[in-house]
Amino acid sequence: MSSSALPPAESISQALASGRSDALGPTRTATFEKRLAKRYRSERNFRLLGLSAVMFSVAVLIFLLGNMLINGIGGFQRAEVTVTIDFPASGVTGDAVSLTAPSAMQTLEMQGLPDVVSFYVEEQLGAESVTKLSADAWRDVAAALAEDPTLINRTETFELPASSGLAAGLEGEGSPEDQALAARLAEAGKLSKNWDWGFLARSDATSPQAVGIWGALKGSMLTMLVTLALAFPIGILSALYLEEYAPKNRWTDVIEVSINNLAAVPSIIFGLLGLAIFLTLFPNLRSAPMIGGMTLALMTMPVIVISSRNAIKAVPPSIRDGALAIGASPVQVVFHHVLPLALPGMLTGTIIGMARALGETAPLLLIGMRAFVATPPEGFTSPATVLPMQIFLWSDEIDRGFVERTSAAIIVLLVFLLAMNGLAIYLRNKFEKRW
């Protein structure tokens, strides 16, 4: 068929619109319908692939979170033995003033509180149970006396932490002796696994029964505060200068390329930089949140600068022109018009940078934040560790009890991350403006 015999484009459109595909001719109609069916089939396949990718990602996420929750639930619990102590008959004395004094722990230890606890454990649970109690169990009794001094005048029942071996025996693991003793005590109602709310209030320890996450959590908070206080203002001001004031020359190009390269540098390089600079200038602040925050600020700053520059570029030029037209100075244009409109995008970059910094361990290893810290940090210059480092240290322990504690610490880390990101998203939405 010659081209002159083909129906015009308008006739084809009208024929398709009216459903009379036979007006195109049998051959052209079959070819057209075949190609149309192929396009529809390709679109369906693409949608199925996209849906499959989303479903696979959701399944992996559910599996990961479910696995951590199953293991982490046990991490918020600990094996405890039930012991009743008759304080009036024990010989331990004290009043509200002495029991709440800072030296109360030493005073009670000198009065023989550890021996009193061991005596009642042996009397009620058997001689073999004395060595199966945590060595620091008496400190829980002392803490209870400090919280309520009136306990010293009556008989009270305590739930004291068991040893790691007895806790393993309760789970059906460990030595046969521990399993037999755990089964006997559990049957008598003297041994059970209870919620350990002190896990959120204690710090690191050598026993999984006595460890807590508060020291590492506080260290992470202090470190993130230092990181945010340094990286956020410096990153935003750098982006404003590069976009609004910096001349376009060779040196500006070098700076831009350097910032882009720094954003892709492995994090351990920043740890080496912190080790070479910050610890040389402040050798007495090794493993302190101040040094960790400054090191992570170096790593986070390029991400904030890049995202902030992109947010500034997204502000329409008409905003600048309109502000200048009504008499605003260049500085007023930047800080009264451009910055407020670009702030949501800047906060998005800050969220990404801070989330990356919160989960880092490599740079902090080099500046000494993997130390064993048994007390929470008192300030920005006190020795401390952070949540990712605490998780790393516990995961390397041989005792199985640390496995559950590690999963519990991961849950705390995720909750902390979600809370931090939720606050940042709230601030971003609050300051978001539309034009």
Side-chain angles (χ1 to χ4, degrees), residues 100-116:
T100 57
S103 59
M105 194 74 69
Q106 292 80 3
T107 302
L108 291 172
E109 186 176 10
M110 292 178 62
Q111 291 188 29
L113 182 60
D115 296 331
V116 170

Side-chain angles (χ1 to χ4, degrees), residues 266-277:
S267 59
I268 196 169
I269 304 300
F270 293 99
L272 293 172
L273 189 61
L275 177 65
I277 298 178

